[in-house]
Structures are given as C-alpha cells and as structure tokens.
Amino acid sequence: MPELKVLISRDQIASRVAEIGADITRDLSGQPVIFVGVLKGAAIFLADLARQVQLDASFDFIGVSSYGNRPSPAQELQHGWDSTGEVRLTKDVDQSMRDRNVILVEDILDTGLTLNFLKRVLLGHQPKSLRIVALLDKPSRRKQPMQADYVGFAIPDEFVVGYGLDYAEQYRNLPDICVVPRPV
Ligand code: IMP
C-alpha cells in the first residue's frame, strides 16, 4: 500500500465548502435548486456542500464511465486518466430537470472530458439554469476547455484520493485529500 501524504486537510475542506455554500446561497437568491452529483466520487462533497446551502434543495445523481479504455489503476496513477474522449452515460438523472436550477457537483475537473459531456447531457434536459461546481481542479491537465462556476481548490498534476476520490475503489472514506505517490 503506497504511503499517502495529506494535500488538503479536512479542516481546509470544511471551510472552503462552507464558502462555496455561501456563494451558491447568495447567487441563487432564494430560488430552489437541485444538486446533481456525479457518482461515486462527488457523493461526500455533495452531502457536505448541500448542508452549507440555505435554499430549498433536492438531490439527484448521474453516472458516467469512459468507453472501455480507462487505464488500469497503476497506469492511471502514472499517467492520469487519458481517456480518448468517449465518455458514456451509465445512469441518467431520475427527476425532471426542466425549468429547474441545476447544480452539477463533481469531485475533480481533470481533462475536462467528463464535465463537457455531462454539461451537454444536462442542457438537453432543458434546465432553467446550470451551474457546475468542482471541489478540485487540475488546470494543467485540460484537453477540452472547461471552467467550473465554483472551484474548491486548484491542485497540481498529482493523483489524489480521499473525501470521495478513489484509487481502484479504495480510499474514498479518507477524511483528508491525499496524494498517492507515483511509482518511480
Ligand atoms: P476528466 O474527464 O478527465 O475531467 O476526469 C474527471 C474524472 O477523472 C473524475 O471524476 C475522477 O473520476 C477521475 N480523476 C481524475 N483525476 C483524479 C485523481 O487525481 N484522483 C481520482 N480520480 C481522478
């Protein structure tokens, strides 16, 4: 098991999540919202963020995977997720998004492929508004332009786990965000 180093502590996460929650509360000025979390990595972030937003809110979840070419966990760790851009929907939202204020909640914005895909999918549901919130952003890895409306932390090109993020389905329950060292 690799040695993990804390990059962002649980206290730093909590105060940044509270700030983003206050921003969303202010920006939506009393309107109801629906949080749409991207499975599975955004589940913990969504749960914490939603409790920092003082608006009427409901939850939904959406699922994606990359078309058969997601690298093995070891390759992913070494080179990142260099998908060819073929993202596929594994679970659509359950509720109607029509004329609603949708807040798409993602754990990490990396190449931008996933959020570009999901933005298209959700706009197809004709919401009243769509905002994107990403807890983490690795701007240096972008392959397609994508900017989230709210970003928790910009981070360097490291593979991170914890607070919902996994390495081969492990470490999602770590309270801090940690760096997995790349093999030398
Ligand atoms: P994108 O389509 O390249 O922006 O990828 C976003 C997805 O890649 C995230 O939802 C994660 O599932 C995965 N991902 C990217 N970087 C990391 C990381 O450092 N740790 C864990 N998962 C990551």
Side-chain angles (χ1 to χ4, degrees):
M1 188 175 293
E3 197 185 311
L4 304 178
K5 212 179 88 197
V6 174
L7 179 68
I8 306 170
S9 72
R10 63 199 79 183
D11 292 344
Q12 290 173 298
I13 297 169
S15 55
R16 187 71 190 110
V17 170
E19 286 173 1
I20 298 173
D23 290 346
I24 291 173
T25 303
R26 184 200 58 224
D27 294 349
L28 273 295
S29 53
Q31 301 178 77
V33 295
I34 178 159
F35 292 101
V36 176
V38 185
L39 292 168
K40 305 168 200 162
I44 292 177
F45 178 37
L46 185 150
D48 283 347
L49 178 65
R51 285 178 290 177
Q52 298 294 333
V53 170
Q54 279 150 40
L55 298 168
D56 288 341
S58 50
F59 295 178
D60 211 323
F61 290 92
I62 198 162
V64 283
S65 80
S66 77
Y67 256 119
N69 48 17
R70 184 163 185 169
S72 71
Q75 288 169 317
E76 191 170 351
L77 183 56
Q78 235 168 347
H79 310 294
W81 179 4
D82 283 327
S83 146
T84 57
E86 296 176 82
V87 182
R88 143 180 97 93
L89 200 63
T90 55
K91 185 208 165 294
D92 204 347
V93 288
D94 297 323
Q95 301 166 57
S96 170
M97 301 287 126
R98 203 188 186 94
D99 296 328
R100 300 178 76 182
N101 297 301
V102 175
I103 300 182
L104 179 59
V105 183
E106 173 63 308
D107 53 4
I108 186 163
L109 172 50
D110 187 24
T111 63
L113 300 173
T114 303
L115 279 178
N116 270 295
F117 173 79
L118 286 175
K119 191 174 173 181
R120 281 197 301 278
V121 169
L122 286 172
L123 286 175
H125 288 281
Q126 298 180 282
K128 178 178 179 190
S129 66
L130 174 64
R131 288 173 170 79
I132 296 176
V133 47
L135 177 66
L136 303 174
D137 185 4
K138 290 186 203 171
S140 65
R141 292 256 313 149
R142 210 69 95 247
K143 284 185 174 176
Q144 284 181 359
M146 169 54 63
Q147 217 175 335
D149 300 287
Y150 309 92
V151 171
F153 304 90
I155 63 167
D157 180 12
E158 299 277 8
F159 197 86
V160 290
V161 293
Y163 197 71
L165 289 142
D166 76 307
Y167 170 57
E169 293 297 330
Q170 297 284 297
Y171 309 121
R172 290 194 196 274
N173 62 331
L174 295 179
D176 306 303
I177 291 169
C178 300
V179 172
V180 184
R182 291 200 163 103
V184 275

